[in-house]
Amino acid sequence: MADTLGEFLRARRARIGPEEAGLPAGSRRRVPGLRREEVAQLAGISPEYYLRLEQGRNLNPSDQILAGLAGALRLDEDAVAYLHRLARTASAPRSRRRIRARTEQDAPQALLDSWPDTPAYAQGTGGRVVAANRLAVLLCPFFAVGSDPLRAAFLEPGMRALYPHWDEMTAKAVSGLRAMLDVEDPDPALLETIGELTLASERFAALWARREVRRRDTGHTLLRHPVVGDLELRYEKLLRPRARQLIVVYHADPGSPSADRLRLLADG
């Protein structure tokens, strides 16, 4: 379920209308978005070359060509970085790709436990939680060790009830997943989850097909907790590159009603 360069290009050009690209709309368009020839024109390459890129028959585009494609497809910074990762992966022989050991050792449980007033959990490359403190589990049972928050977001009614802005949350989750996905050496467990969700959730399948890429290391979210009520929280995502883990931390603004409710939850 990991993207190829050609799949990404096809999906993104289908989402750009000719007017958005500064081209005449015309009256005989059978499919949405730009035609291949139009993308090639905007990127400054030949239609034949662009066709080979979409078909996976040219696996080593230059940085200049990638820059042209990024401009033609109106890609933002995160999507441009993803485009370059796909191009590097396509051009690297399989025998030379890095095969990284996947381990759930070195889970930062002691560190998270030292933050009793701050909900925090850590995920491995497969998406499952490998460490979580008590307050994180009180905040959401799907943050417990062994759980998969991404899977729960789409398949568990309790998770949907927790997020009143569920549509926004799931859109962020999927675009963030694609931004973080290791396209060179994806974890088989994560690919299995993506495949399962594509079949089991129409919402996930539609979001995944959009190929949106947006890395969000910090932001705000609203949780409707069944015990303490609404919690307006900030989140931070901290990467542990060597351990290949992601720590997710939630906190409320000091002195806010949400801070008082979070403290009540911790003391309960």
Side-chain angles (χ1 to χ4, degrees):
M1 296 299 298
D3 283 333
T4 64
L5 178 61
E7 289 170 341
F8 183 68
L9 293 174
R10 285 194 296 274
R12 295 304 296 236
R13 74 174 170 86
R15 293 180 50 201
I16 302 230
E19 299 94 339
E20 186 179 355
L23 298 172
S27 58
R28 297 180 60 84
R29 288 182 178 269
R30 294 176 295 178
V31 294
L34 297 177
R35 300 185 180 100
R36 291 191 184 96
E37 314 86 71
E38 291 169 334
V39 176
Q41 175 188 342
L42 292 168
I45 58 179
S46 71
E48 294 78 12
Y49 185 90
Y50 180 77
L51 177 61
R52 292 200 299 272
L53 287 174
E54 280 204 359
Q55 293 178 340
R57 294 190 291 117
N58 187 304
L59 302 180
N60 193 26
S62 67
D63 288 346
Q64 181 179 358
I65 288 173
L66 293 176
L69 291 170
L73 297 173
R74 301 295 192 269
L75 302 184
D76 61 17
E77 183 179 351
D78 291 328
V80 170
Y82 187 69
L83 176 69
H84 279 263
R85 284 160 52 201
L86 289 174
R88 288 198 307 269
T89 302
S91 62
R94 287 185 177 273
S95 61
R96 295 179 57 191
R97 293 184 188 174
R98 293 172 292 171
I99 306 299
R100 303 172 180 173
R102 295 180 179 85
T103 176
E104 294 184 358
Q105 298 175 1
D106 193 31
Q109 187 64 55
L111 172 64
L112 304 188
D113 287 339
S114 71
W115 303 337
D117 300 321
T118 304
Y121 65 90
Q123 292 176 277
T125 56
R128 292 197 175 274
V129 177
V130 297
N133 61 18
R134 172 179 172 272
L135 190 51
V137 179
L138 290 174
L139 184 66
C140 175
F142 301 109
F143 296 162
V145 172
S147 298
D148 186 333
L150 176 68
R151 184 182 185 279
F154 290 92
L155 301 184
E156 296 290 347
M159 189 73 136
R160 183 163 186 168
L162 185 64
Y163 286 88
H165 304 308
W166 182 78
D167 285 348
E168 179 183 346
M169 182 274 287
T170 52
K172 288 181 178 179
V174 174
S175 62
L177 169 64
R178 182 166 261 113
M180 296 291 291
L181 182 64
D182 186 345
V183 295
E184 297 180 54
D185 185 21
D187 191 302
L190 181 57
L191 295 182
E192 183 178 346
T193 298
I194 292 170
E196 177 191 5
L197 290 175
T198 300
L199 296 175
S201 168
E202 292 184 3
R203 172 68 175 166
F204 180 88
L207 290 171
W208 190 249
R210 287 175 62 83
R211 264 80 178 183
E212 287 190 354
V213 185
R214 184 64 54 85
R215 181 166 181 159
R216 294 177 175 88
D217 296 325
T218 185
H220 296 79
T221 191
L222 172 64
L223 302 182
R224 185 149 292 158
H225 196 274
V227 175
V228 298
D230 286 359
L231 294 165
E232 295 183 11
L233 302 178
R234 299 178 184 269
Y235 62 83
E236 308 282 344
K237 296 182 179 181
L238 313 172
L239 187 62
R240 302 182 72 209
R242 292 179 65 84
R244 302 191 71 193
Q245 294 169 354
L246 182 71
I247 297 178
V248 182
V249 181
Y250 291 92
H251 59 97
D253 289 335
S256 66
S258 291
D260 294 338
R261 293 172 188 148
L262 197 59
R263 192 176 304 110
L264 179 64
L265 184 63
D267 293 341

